[in-house]
Amino acid sequence: MDAAAVGEVDQHQESPVLDCLLVVVSYRSASDVAGLLETVPAAAGDLSWHVVVVNNEPADDLARIVADHPDAELVESGKNVGYAGGINRGLLDAPPTRWTVFLNPDLRLGPGSIARLTEVAGQRDAAVPTIVDGEGVLQCSLRREPTILGSVGDAFFGDRWPGRPPVLGETIRDRATYAHPAVVAWATGALLVVPSAVVRRVGPWDSGHFFLYSEETDYCRRLRSLGVEVRFVPDAVVRHQGAGSGTSDALHALQEVNRVRYFRKWHGRLASAGFAGVVVLNSAIRTHRSQSRAALRALVSSNARASLPGGGR
Protein backbone atom coordinates (compact mmCIF):
# COMPACT_ATOMS: atom_id res chain seq x y z
CA MET A 1 0.00 0.00 0.00
CA ASP A 2 1.20 3.51 -0.83
CA ALA A 3 2.86 5.07 2.23
CA ALA A 4 1.18 8.43 1.62
CA ALA A 5 -2.22 6.73 1.59
CA VAL A 6 -1.51 4.98 4.87
CA GLY A 7 -0.60 8.27 6.49
CA GLU A 8 -3.63 10.15 5.22
CA VAL A 9 -5.72 11.63 8.03
CA ASP A 10 -9.45 10.91 8.29
CA GLN A 11 -10.93 14.43 8.41
CA HIS A 12 -13.97 13.21 10.39
CA GLN A 13 -12.02 12.35 13.53
CA GLU A 14 -8.95 13.51 15.39
CA SER A 15 -5.73 12.51 13.68
CA PRO A 16 -5.45 8.70 13.74
CA VAL A 17 -2.08 7.53 14.94
CA LEU A 18 -2.77 3.92 13.98
CA ASP A 19 -3.93 2.18 10.82
CA CYS A 20 -5.94 -0.71 12.28
CA LEU A 21 -7.95 -1.54 15.36
CA LEU A 22 -8.55 -5.28 15.70
CA VAL A 23 -11.46 -6.26 17.96
CA VAL A 24 -11.55 -9.86 19.19
CA VAL A 25 -14.34 -11.24 21.39
CA SER A 26 -13.28 -14.29 23.39
CA TYR A 27 -15.48 -16.78 25.21
CA ARG A 28 -13.60 -19.79 26.54
CA SER A 29 -11.09 -19.23 23.75
CA ALA A 30 -7.83 -18.55 25.60
CA SER A 31 -5.74 -20.99 23.57
CA ASP A 32 -7.21 -19.66 20.32
CA VAL A 33 -6.44 -16.05 21.23
CA ALA A 34 -2.79 -16.89 21.78
CA GLY A 35 -2.49 -18.43 18.33
CA LEU A 36 -4.36 -15.58 16.65
CA LEU A 37 -2.18 -12.87 18.16
CA GLU A 38 0.95 -14.60 16.90
CA THR A 39 -0.27 -14.19 13.30
CA VAL A 40 -1.22 -10.50 13.44
CA PRO A 41 2.18 -8.89 12.69
CA ALA A 42 2.70 -10.79 9.43
CA ALA A 43 -0.93 -10.23 8.43
CA ALA A 44 -0.70 -6.46 8.98
CA GLY A 45 2.62 -6.03 7.18
CA ASP A 46 3.66 -2.37 7.25
CA LEU A 47 0.40 -1.21 8.83
CA SER A 48 0.36 -0.07 12.43
CA TRP A 49 -2.20 -1.78 14.62
CA HIS A 50 -3.69 -2.29 18.07
CA VAL A 51 -5.69 -5.29 19.30
CA VAL A 52 -8.50 -5.13 21.84
CA VAL A 53 -9.39 -8.55 23.27
CA VAL A 54 -12.76 -8.58 25.03
CA ASN A 55 -13.02 -11.40 27.55
CA ASN A 56 -16.60 -12.67 27.90
CA GLU A 57 -15.65 -15.48 30.29
CA PRO A 58 -14.44 -14.23 33.70
CA ALA A 59 -13.01 -17.66 34.52
CA ASP A 60 -10.60 -17.43 31.57
CA ASP A 61 -7.14 -16.11 32.41
CA LEU A 62 -6.34 -14.06 29.32
CA ALA A 63 -4.21 -11.47 31.11
CA ARG A 64 -1.01 -13.51 30.82
CA ILE A 65 -1.61 -14.26 27.15
CA VAL A 66 -2.36 -10.67 26.19
CA ALA A 67 0.54 -9.36 28.30
CA ASP A 68 2.95 -11.17 25.96
CA HIS A 69 1.84 -8.85 23.14
CA PRO A 70 2.63 -5.15 23.74
CA ASP A 71 0.27 -4.02 20.97
CA ALA A 72 -2.72 -5.75 22.55
CA GLU A 73 -4.92 -4.90 25.51
CA LEU A 74 -7.47 -6.88 27.48
CA VAL A 75 -10.97 -5.63 28.29
CA GLU A 76 -12.90 -7.63 30.88
CA SER A 77 -16.64 -7.53 30.21
CA GLY A 78 -17.36 -9.14 33.60
CA LYS A 79 -19.83 -11.62 32.13
CA ASN A 80 -20.87 -13.13 28.81
CA VAL A 81 -22.47 -10.19 26.99
CA GLY A 82 -22.60 -12.03 23.66
CA TYR A 83 -20.68 -11.42 20.47
CA ALA A 84 -22.36 -8.17 19.44
CA GLY A 85 -22.24 -6.89 23.01
CA GLY A 86 -18.56 -7.79 23.24
CA ILE A 87 -17.75 -5.92 20.04
CA ASN A 88 -19.57 -2.85 21.34
CA ARG A 89 -17.62 -3.06 24.59
CA GLY A 90 -14.35 -3.31 22.67
CA LEU A 91 -15.16 -0.21 20.64
CA LEU A 92 -15.91 1.97 23.68
CA ASP A 93 -12.39 3.14 24.42
CA ALA A 94 -10.83 2.35 21.05
CA PRO A 95 -8.01 4.60 19.84
CA PRO A 96 -8.48 6.50 16.56
CA THR A 97 -7.64 4.33 13.56
CA ARG A 98 -8.30 4.28 9.82
CA TRP A 99 -9.80 0.79 9.76
CA THR A 100 -11.56 -1.48 12.22
CA VAL A 101 -11.15 -5.25 11.93
CA PHE A 102 -13.75 -7.50 13.56
CA LEU A 103 -12.48 -11.05 13.90
CA ASN A 104 -13.09 -14.34 15.68
CA PRO A 105 -10.51 -15.68 18.13
CA ASP A 106 -10.24 -19.05 16.35
CA LEU A 107 -8.52 -17.60 13.28
CA ARG A 108 -4.99 -17.79 12.00
CA LEU A 109 -4.30 -14.87 9.68
CA GLY A 110 -2.41 -15.43 6.47
CA PRO A 111 0.63 -13.22 5.72
CA GLY A 112 -0.46 -9.87 4.30
CA SER A 113 -4.17 -10.65 4.70
CA ILE A 114 -5.09 -7.62 6.81
CA ALA A 115 -3.00 -5.28 4.66
CA ARG A 116 -4.69 -6.59 1.51
CA LEU A 117 -8.20 -6.29 2.96
CA THR A 118 -7.65 -2.68 4.03
CA GLU A 119 -6.29 -1.89 0.58
CA VAL A 120 -9.48 -3.18 -1.07
CA ALA A 121 -11.81 -1.63 1.49
CA GLY A 122 -10.24 1.80 1.12
CA GLN A 123 -12.24 4.46 2.95
CA ARG A 124 -15.65 3.59 1.48
CA ASP A 125 -16.23 -0.17 1.50
CA ALA A 126 -15.95 -3.27 3.67
CA ALA A 127 -13.88 -6.35 2.86
CA VAL A 128 -13.94 -10.06 3.72
CA PRO A 129 -11.30 -12.75 3.09
CA THR A 130 -11.12 -16.26 1.72
CA ILE A 131 -11.60 -18.67 4.62
CA VAL A 132 -10.07 -22.15 4.72
CA ASP A 133 -10.48 -24.76 7.44
CA GLY A 134 -7.77 -26.31 9.58
CA GLU A 135 -6.77 -28.59 6.70
CA GLY A 136 -6.62 -25.77 4.18
CA VAL A 137 -9.91 -26.67 2.49
CA LEU A 138 -12.01 -23.76 1.22
CA GLN A 139 -15.03 -22.88 3.37
CA CYS A 140 -18.08 -21.55 1.54
CA SER A 141 -18.33 -18.37 3.60
CA LEU A 142 -20.12 -16.04 1.17
CA ARG A 143 -23.84 -15.47 1.55
CA ARG A 144 -26.82 -13.98 -0.24
CA GLU A 145 -29.47 -11.96 1.56
CA PRO A 146 -31.87 -14.33 3.38
CA THR A 147 -35.13 -14.93 1.49
CA ILE A 148 -38.04 -17.33 1.77
CA LEU A 149 -37.09 -19.13 -1.45
CA GLY A 150 -33.46 -19.34 -0.42
CA SER A 151 -34.49 -20.84 2.89
CA VAL A 152 -36.69 -23.37 1.07
CA GLY A 153 -33.78 -24.38 -1.15
CA ASP A 154 -31.43 -24.81 1.79
CA ALA A 155 -34.06 -26.76 3.75
CA PHE A 156 -34.65 -29.32 1.01
CA PHE A 157 -31.29 -29.50 -0.74
CA GLY A 158 -28.65 -28.42 1.79
CA ASP A 159 -25.21 -29.10 0.29
CA ARG A 160 -26.74 -31.22 -2.46
CA TRP A 161 -27.20 -29.65 -5.89
CA PRO A 162 -24.58 -26.91 -5.30
CA GLY A 163 -25.23 -25.58 -8.82
CA ARG A 164 -28.90 -24.86 -8.20
CA PRO A 165 -30.29 -21.43 -9.16
CA PRO A 166 -29.04 -18.69 -6.79
CA VAL A 167 -32.60 -17.90 -5.73
CA LEU A 168 -32.76 -21.33 -4.05
CA GLY A 169 -29.90 -20.88 -1.65
CA GLU A 170 -28.39 -18.44 0.82
CA THR A 171 -24.90 -19.94 0.81
CA ILE A 172 -22.82 -19.40 -2.33
CA ARG A 173 -21.61 -22.94 -3.03
CA ASP A 174 -20.20 -22.43 -6.52
CA ARG A 175 -16.50 -22.74 -5.80
CA ALA A 176 -15.58 -20.93 -9.00
CA THR A 177 -16.99 -17.76 -7.40
CA TYR A 178 -14.28 -17.91 -4.75
CA ALA A 179 -11.54 -17.55 -7.34
CA HIS A 180 -12.50 -13.99 -8.26
CA PRO A 181 -13.20 -10.70 -6.47
CA ALA A 182 -16.92 -10.14 -5.91
CA VAL A 183 -19.43 -7.93 -4.13
CA VAL A 184 -21.59 -9.98 -1.78
CA ALA A 185 -24.50 -9.37 0.58
CA TRP A 186 -22.58 -10.67 3.58
CA ALA A 187 -20.15 -13.33 4.72
CA THR A 188 -19.85 -15.48 7.80
CA GLY A 189 -18.50 -13.33 10.57
CA ALA A 190 -15.00 -14.73 11.01
CA LEU A 191 -13.38 -11.50 9.78
CA LEU A 192 -14.70 -8.19 8.50
CA VAL A 193 -12.69 -5.04 7.72
CA VAL A 194 -14.57 -1.72 7.77
CA PRO A 195 -13.23 1.86 7.58
CA SER A 196 -13.49 3.32 11.07
CA ALA A 197 -15.35 6.37 9.74
CA VAL A 198 -18.02 3.98 8.43
CA VAL A 199 -18.12 2.11 11.76
CA ARG A 200 -19.04 5.37 13.45
CA ARG A 201 -21.79 6.02 10.89
CA VAL A 202 -23.32 2.56 11.28
CA GLY A 203 -23.36 2.73 15.06
CA PRO A 204 -23.26 -0.14 17.58
CA TRP A 205 -23.84 -3.75 16.63
CA ASP A 206 -27.38 -4.87 17.47
CA SER A 207 -26.93 -6.66 20.78
CA GLY A 208 -30.60 -6.13 21.58
CA HIS A 209 -31.76 -8.59 18.94
CA PHE A 210 -28.69 -10.80 18.62
CA PHE A 211 -26.70 -12.33 21.47
CA LEU A 212 -24.90 -14.64 19.05
CA TYR A 213 -25.50 -15.44 15.36
CA SER A 214 -27.08 -13.24 12.66
CA GLU A 215 -25.42 -10.13 14.05
CA GLU A 216 -23.04 -10.10 11.08
CA THR A 217 -25.96 -10.52 8.65
CA ASP A 218 -27.62 -7.51 10.26
CA TYR A 219 -24.44 -5.43 10.36
CA CYS A 220 -23.70 -6.03 6.68
CA ARG A 221 -27.26 -5.08 5.76
CA ARG A 222 -26.82 -1.85 7.67
CA LEU A 223 -23.56 -1.26 5.82
CA ARG A 224 -25.30 -1.76 2.50
CA SER A 225 -28.07 0.63 3.52
CA LEU A 226 -25.37 3.33 3.67
CA GLY A 227 -24.14 2.48 0.18
CA VAL A 228 -21.17 0.49 1.48
CA GLU A 229 -20.22 -2.55 -0.63
CA VAL A 230 -19.02 -5.77 1.02
CA ARG A 231 -16.10 -6.87 -1.15
CA PHE A 232 -14.76 -10.41 -1.23
CA VAL A 233 -10.96 -10.52 -1.56
CA PRO A 234 -9.82 -13.97 -2.76
CA ASP A 235 -6.09 -13.39 -2.24
CA ALA A 236 -6.50 -12.47 1.45
CA VAL A 237 -6.59 -15.87 3.15
CA VAL A 238 -7.29 -16.78 6.77
CA ARG A 239 -7.54 -20.16 8.44
CA HIS A 240 -10.61 -20.79 10.58
CA GLN A 241 -10.09 -23.42 13.24
CA GLY A 242 -13.85 -23.55 13.91
CA ALA A 243 -16.02 -23.90 17.03
CA GLY A 244 -13.68 -21.72 19.06
CA SER A 245 -16.40 -21.00 21.61
CA GLY A 246 -17.85 -24.48 21.50
CA THR A 247 -20.95 -25.95 19.94
CA SER A 248 -24.12 -27.53 21.32
CA ASP A 249 -27.76 -28.20 20.60
CA ALA A 250 -28.63 -24.93 22.36
CA LEU A 251 -26.29 -22.94 20.13
CA HIS A 252 -27.74 -24.52 17.00
CA ALA A 253 -31.23 -23.66 18.28
CA LEU A 254 -30.15 -20.07 18.88
CA GLN A 255 -28.76 -19.89 15.36
CA GLU A 256 -32.12 -20.91 13.89
CA VAL A 257 -34.11 -18.62 16.19
CA ASN A 258 -31.91 -15.67 15.28
CA ARG A 259 -32.41 -16.30 11.58
CA VAL A 260 -36.10 -15.67 12.21
CA ARG A 261 -35.38 -12.66 14.42
CA TYR A 262 -33.24 -11.14 11.70
CA PHE A 263 -35.92 -11.61 9.06
CA ARG A 264 -38.61 -10.11 11.31
CA LYS A 265 -36.44 -7.07 11.94
CA TRP A 266 -36.27 -6.21 8.25
CA HIS A 267 -39.54 -7.54 6.80
CA GLY A 268 -43.29 -7.26 7.30
CA ARG A 269 -45.45 -9.61 9.33
CA LEU A 270 -46.71 -11.77 6.43
CA ALA A 271 -43.30 -12.35 4.85
CA SER A 272 -41.78 -13.01 8.28
CA ALA A 273 -44.44 -15.62 9.03
CA GLY A 274 -43.60 -17.38 5.76
CA PHE A 275 -39.89 -17.33 6.49
CA ALA A 276 -40.43 -18.62 10.04
CA GLY A 277 -42.60 -21.42 8.68
CA VAL A 278 -39.82 -22.59 6.38
CA VAL A 279 -37.26 -22.51 9.23
CA VAL A 280 -39.64 -24.56 11.40
CA LEU A 281 -40.13 -27.03 8.55
CA ASN A 282 -36.38 -27.34 8.10
CA SER A 283 -36.04 -28.49 11.72
CA ALA A 284 -39.21 -30.62 11.65
CA ILE A 285 -37.99 -32.81 8.78
CA ARG A 286 -34.71 -33.45 10.62
CA THR A 287 -35.97 -34.44 14.06
CA HIS A 288 -33.74 -37.51 14.00
CA ARG A 289 -31.01 -35.01 14.97
CA SER A 290 -30.95 -33.75 18.54
CA GLN A 291 -29.93 -30.25 17.45
CA SER A 292 -32.95 -30.02 15.13
CA ARG A 293 -35.26 -31.13 17.94
CA ALA A 294 -33.78 -28.41 20.15
CA ALA A 295 -34.25 -25.83 17.39
CA LEU A 296 -37.84 -26.89 16.81
CA ARG A 297 -38.68 -26.50 20.50
CA ALA A 298 -37.11 -23.05 20.60
CA LEU A 299 -38.87 -21.92 17.42
CA VAL A 300 -42.33 -22.79 18.73
CA SER A 301 -41.94 -22.17 22.49
CA SER A 302 -41.18 -18.83 24.15
CA ASN A 303 -40.09 -20.69 27.30
CA ALA A 304 -37.58 -22.70 25.29
CA ARG A 305 -36.29 -19.52 23.64
CA ALA A 306 -35.84 -17.88 27.03
CA SER A 307 -33.60 -20.74 28.11
CA LEU A 308 -31.17 -20.24 25.22
CA PRO A 309 -27.85 -18.37 25.65
CA GLY A 310 -28.63 -14.69 26.01
CA GLY A 311 -32.17 -15.35 27.28
CA GLY A 312 -35.31 -13.95 25.76
CA ARG A 313 -35.01 -11.25 23.09
Side-chain angles (χ1 to χ4, degrees), residues 223-243:
L223 287 172
R224 300 197 313 273
S225 73
L226 296 176
V228 176
E229 293 185 332
V230 180
R231 296 185 173 273
F232 169 61
V233 185
D235 55 342
V237 181
V238 303
R239 188 179 299 270
H240 189 206
Q241 304 300 107

Side-chain angles (χ1 to χ4, degrees), residues 152-176:
V152 168
D154 287 335
F156 284 98
F157 300 113
D159 288 331
R160 300 186 302 277
W161 193 18
R164 62 183 178 265
V167 71
L168 290 177
E170 183 177 327
T171 300
I172 298 177
R173 292 180 170 85
D174 179 9
R175 292 179 176 264

